mmCIF file of all heavy atoms in Angstrom:
data_model
loop_
_atom_site.group_PDB
_atom_site.id
_atom_site.type_symbol
_atom_site.label_atom_id
_atom_site.label_comp_id
_atom_site.label_asym_id
_atom_site.label_seq_id
_atom_site.Cartn_x
_atom_site.Cartn_y
_atom_site.Cartn_z
ATOM 1 N N TRP A 302 20.205 44.127 -64.991
ATOM 2 C CA TRP A 302 19.348 45.263 -64.705
ATOM 3 C C TRP A 302 19.687 45.909 -63.363
ATOM 4 O O TRP A 302 19.197 46.973 -63.034
ATOM 5 C CB TRP A 302 17.925 44.925 -64.795
ATOM 6 C CG TRP A 302 17.504 44.541 -66.172
ATOM 7 C CD1 TRP A 302 17.356 43.286 -66.703
ATOM 8 C CD2 TRP A 302 17.286 45.416 -67.278
ATOM 9 N NE1 TRP A 302 17.060 43.314 -68.025
ATOM 10 C CE2 TRP A 302 17.025 44.613 -68.411
ATOM 11 C CE3 TRP A 302 17.325 46.818 -67.422
ATOM 12 C CZ2 TRP A 302 16.729 45.135 -69.670
ATOM 13 C CZ3 TRP A 302 17.064 47.360 -68.689
ATOM 14 C CH2 TRP A 302 16.777 46.542 -69.782
ATOM 15 N N GLU A 303 20.481 45.246 -62.510
ATOM 16 C CA GLU A 303 20.862 45.850 -61.216
ATOM 17 C C GLU A 303 21.606 47.154 -61.424
ATOM 18 O O GLU A 303 21.484 48.052 -60.627
ATOM 19 C CB GLU A 303 21.752 44.830 -60.445
ATOM 20 C CG GLU A 303 21.065 43.578 -60.011
ATOM 21 C CD GLU A 303 20.034 43.739 -58.919
ATOM 22 O OE1 GLU A 303 20.089 44.784 -58.245
ATOM 23 O OE2 GLU A 303 19.162 42.841 -58.768
ATOM 24 N N ILE A 304 22.368 47.237 -62.492
ATOM 25 C CA ILE A 304 23.073 48.512 -62.743
ATOM 26 C C ILE A 304 22.150 49.619 -63.086
ATOM 27 O O ILE A 304 22.475 50.831 -62.808
ATOM 28 C CB ILE A 304 24.170 48.317 -63.827
ATOM 29 C CG1 ILE A 304 25.171 49.487 -63.820
ATOM 30 C CG2 ILE A 304 23.522 48.230 -65.219
ATOM 31 C CD1 ILE A 304 26.379 49.258 -64.721
ATOM 32 N N GLU A 305 20.956 49.360 -63.586
ATOM 33 C CA GLU A 305 19.981 50.390 -63.793
ATOM 34 C C GLU A 305 19.486 50.902 -62.461
ATOM 35 O O GLU A 305 19.236 52.161 -62.327
ATOM 36 C CB GLU A 305 18.791 49.833 -64.590
ATOM 37 C CG GLU A 305 19.152 49.304 -65.970
ATOM 38 C CD GLU A 305 19.644 50.366 -66.925
ATOM 39 O OE1 GLU A 305 19.396 51.602 -66.647
ATOM 40 O OE2 GLU A 305 20.292 50.006 -67.937
ATOM 41 N N LEU A 306 19.384 50.099 -61.451
ATOM 42 C CA LEU A 306 19.025 50.527 -60.117
ATOM 43 C C LEU A 306 20.132 51.386 -59.525
ATOM 44 O O LEU A 306 19.875 52.353 -58.827
ATOM 45 C CB LEU A 306 18.729 49.318 -59.203
ATOM 46 C CG LEU A 306 17.594 48.424 -59.638
ATOM 47 C CD1 LEU A 306 17.457 47.222 -58.660
ATOM 48 C CD2 LEU A 306 16.293 49.160 -59.734
ATOM 49 N N VAL A 307 21.384 51.051 -59.802
ATOM 50 C CA VAL A 307 22.518 51.868 -59.359
ATOM 51 C C VAL A 307 22.418 53.264 -59.959
ATOM 52 O O VAL A 307 22.591 54.292 -59.232
ATOM 53 C CB VAL A 307 23.875 51.200 -59.768
ATOM 54 C CG1 VAL A 307 25.040 52.102 -59.438
ATOM 55 C CG2 VAL A 307 24.045 49.854 -59.093
ATOM 56 N N PHE A 308 22.198 53.334 -61.258
ATOM 57 C CA PHE A 308 22.035 54.654 -61.908
ATOM 58 C C PHE A 308 20.872 55.434 -61.348
ATOM 59 O O PHE A 308 20.988 56.648 -61.228
ATOM 60 C CB PHE A 308 21.887 54.474 -63.415
ATOM 61 C CG PHE A 308 23.085 53.938 -64.127
ATOM 62 C CD1 PHE A 308 22.989 53.181 -65.267
ATOM 63 C CD2 PHE A 308 24.378 54.211 -63.636
ATOM 64 C CE1 PHE A 308 24.073 52.700 -65.935
ATOM 65 C CE2 PHE A 308 25.458 53.755 -64.278
ATOM 66 C CZ PHE A 308 25.341 52.976 -65.423
ATOM 67 N N ASP A 309 19.811 54.720 -61.012
ATOM 68 C CA ASP A 309 18.656 55.426 -60.432
ATOM 69 C C ASP A 309 19.002 56.010 -59.040
ATOM 70 O O ASP A 309 18.609 57.096 -58.674
ATOM 71 C CB ASP A 309 17.466 54.468 -60.286
ATOM 72 C CG ASP A 309 16.244 55.160 -59.672
ATOM 73 O OD1 ASP A 309 15.649 56.018 -60.290
ATOM 74 O OD2 ASP A 309 15.887 54.758 -58.517
ATOM 75 N N GLU A 310 19.800 55.267 -58.237
ATOM 76 C CA GLU A 310 20.203 55.735 -56.952
ATOM 77 C C GLU A 310 21.028 57.028 -57.072
ATOM 78 O O GLU A 310 20.843 57.965 -56.285
ATOM 79 C CB GLU A 310 21.013 54.633 -56.230
ATOM 80 C CG GLU A 310 20.238 53.436 -55.808
ATOM 81 C CD GLU A 310 21.107 52.311 -55.339
ATOM 82 O OE1 GLU A 310 22.352 52.420 -55.372
ATOM 83 O OE2 GLU A 310 20.573 51.273 -54.850
ATOM 84 N N ILE A 311 21.894 57.066 -58.027
ATOM 85 C CA ILE A 311 22.769 58.198 -58.241
ATOM 86 C C ILE A 311 21.984 59.360 -58.891
ATOM 87 O O ILE A 311 22.014 60.449 -58.413
ATOM 88 C CB ILE A 311 24.008 57.847 -59.088
ATOM 89 C CG1 ILE A 311 24.874 56.818 -58.356
ATOM 90 C CG2 ILE A 311 24.859 59.108 -59.357
ATOM 91 C CD1 ILE A 311 26.007 56.282 -59.201
ATOM 92 N N LYS A 312 21.314 59.101 -59.969
ATOM 93 C CA LYS A 312 20.709 60.140 -60.772
ATOM 94 C C LYS A 312 19.481 60.721 -60.138
ATOM 95 O O LYS A 312 19.232 61.932 -60.225
ATOM 96 C CB LYS A 312 20.310 59.528 -62.155
ATOM 97 C CG LYS A 312 19.883 60.554 -63.176
ATOM 98 C CD LYS A 312 19.731 59.935 -64.559
ATOM 99 C CE LYS A 312 19.323 60.950 -65.610
ATOM 100 N NZ LYS A 312 19.218 60.372 -66.976
ATOM 101 N N THR A 313 18.627 59.932 -59.473
ATOM 102 C CA THR A 313 17.410 60.385 -58.925
ATOM 103 C C THR A 313 17.490 60.724 -57.454
ATOM 104 O O THR A 313 17.127 61.868 -57.022
ATOM 105 C CB THR A 313 16.289 59.349 -59.141
ATOM 106 O OG1 THR A 313 16.199 59.011 -60.533
ATOM 107 C CG2 THR A 313 14.926 59.865 -58.620
ATOM 108 N N HIS A 314 17.982 59.812 -56.633
ATOM 109 C CA HIS A 314 17.966 59.983 -55.223
ATOM 110 C C HIS A 314 19.129 60.786 -54.662
ATOM 111 O O HIS A 314 18.949 61.656 -53.779
ATOM 112 C CB HIS A 314 17.858 58.599 -54.466
ATOM 113 C CG HIS A 314 16.707 57.802 -54.944
ATOM 114 N ND1 HIS A 314 15.411 58.126 -54.615
ATOM 115 C CD2 HIS A 314 16.652 56.725 -55.751
ATOM 116 C CE1 HIS A 314 14.562 57.246 -55.184
ATOM 117 N NE2 HIS A 314 15.302 56.373 -55.872
ATOM 118 N N GLN A 315 20.321 60.519 -55.172
ATOM 119 C CA GLN A 315 21.510 61.176 -54.587
ATOM 120 C C GLN A 315 21.745 62.565 -55.251
ATOM 121 O O GLN A 315 21.909 63.551 -54.541
ATOM 122 C CB GLN A 315 22.743 60.349 -54.852
ATOM 123 C CG GLN A 315 24.018 60.978 -54.351
ATOM 124 C CD GLN A 315 25.233 60.052 -54.514
ATOM 125 O OE1 GLN A 315 25.256 58.952 -54.010
ATOM 126 N NE2 GLN A 315 26.227 60.492 -55.312
ATOM 127 N N ARG A 316 21.594 62.650 -56.539
ATOM 128 C CA ARG A 316 21.824 63.918 -57.189
ATOM 129 C C ARG A 316 20.775 64.917 -56.862
ATOM 130 O O ARG A 316 21.089 66.079 -56.595
ATOM 131 C CB ARG A 316 21.885 63.725 -58.707
ATOM 132 C CG ARG A 316 22.300 64.979 -59.505
ATOM 133 C CD ARG A 316 22.373 64.666 -60.980
ATOM 134 N NE ARG A 316 21.072 64.289 -61.493
ATOM 135 C CZ ARG A 316 20.745 64.240 -62.807
ATOM 136 N NH1 ARG A 316 21.663 64.547 -63.653
ATOM 137 N NH2 ARG A 316 19.547 63.896 -63.197
ATOM 138 N N GLY A 317 19.497 64.519 -56.847
ATOM 139 C CA GLY A 317 18.407 65.386 -56.315
ATOM 140 C C GLY A 317 18.065 66.606 -57.192
ATOM 141 O O GLY A 317 17.279 67.437 -56.772
ATOM 142 N N ARG A 318 18.702 66.722 -58.314
ATOM 143 C CA ARG A 318 18.420 67.891 -59.175
ATOM 144 C C ARG A 318 18.596 67.411 -60.639
ATOM 145 O O ARG A 318 19.401 66.529 -60.909
ATOM 146 C CB ARG A 318 19.302 69.092 -58.904
ATOM 147 C CG ARG A 318 20.783 68.795 -58.966
ATOM 148 C CD ARG A 318 21.642 69.942 -58.412
ATOM 149 N NE ARG A 318 21.561 71.133 -59.185
ATOM 150 C CZ ARG A 318 21.976 72.312 -58.759
ATOM 151 N NH1 ARG A 318 22.480 72.427 -57.580
ATOM 152 N NH2 ARG A 318 21.869 73.392 -59.538
ATOM 153 N N PRO A 319 17.826 67.957 -61.593
ATOM 154 C CA PRO A 319 17.872 67.463 -62.927
ATOM 155 C C PRO A 319 19.170 67.732 -63.726
ATOM 156 O O PRO A 319 19.494 67.034 -64.669
ATOM 157 C CB PRO A 319 16.708 68.152 -63.649
ATOM 158 C CG PRO A 319 16.481 69.384 -62.827
ATOM 159 C CD PRO A 319 16.772 69.037 -61.410
ATOM 160 N N VAL A 320 19.927 68.758 -63.281
ATOM 161 C CA VAL A 320 21.110 69.146 -63.978
ATOM 162 C C VAL A 320 22.288 69.292 -62.962
ATOM 163 O O VAL A 320 22.087 69.848 -61.863
ATOM 164 C CB VAL A 320 20.925 70.501 -64.706
ATOM 165 C CG1 VAL A 320 22.149 70.912 -65.511
ATOM 166 C CG2 VAL A 320 19.708 70.427 -65.637
#
Side-chain angles (χ1 to χ4, degrees):
W302 294 100
E303 295 289 341
I304 196 170
E305 301 294 343
L306 300 178
V307 174
F308 291 150
D309 180 67
E310 291 170 356
I311 296 173
K312 189 172 181 177
T313 304
H314 303 289
Q315 179 177 301
R316 188 180 59 166
R318 56 191 294 165
V320 182

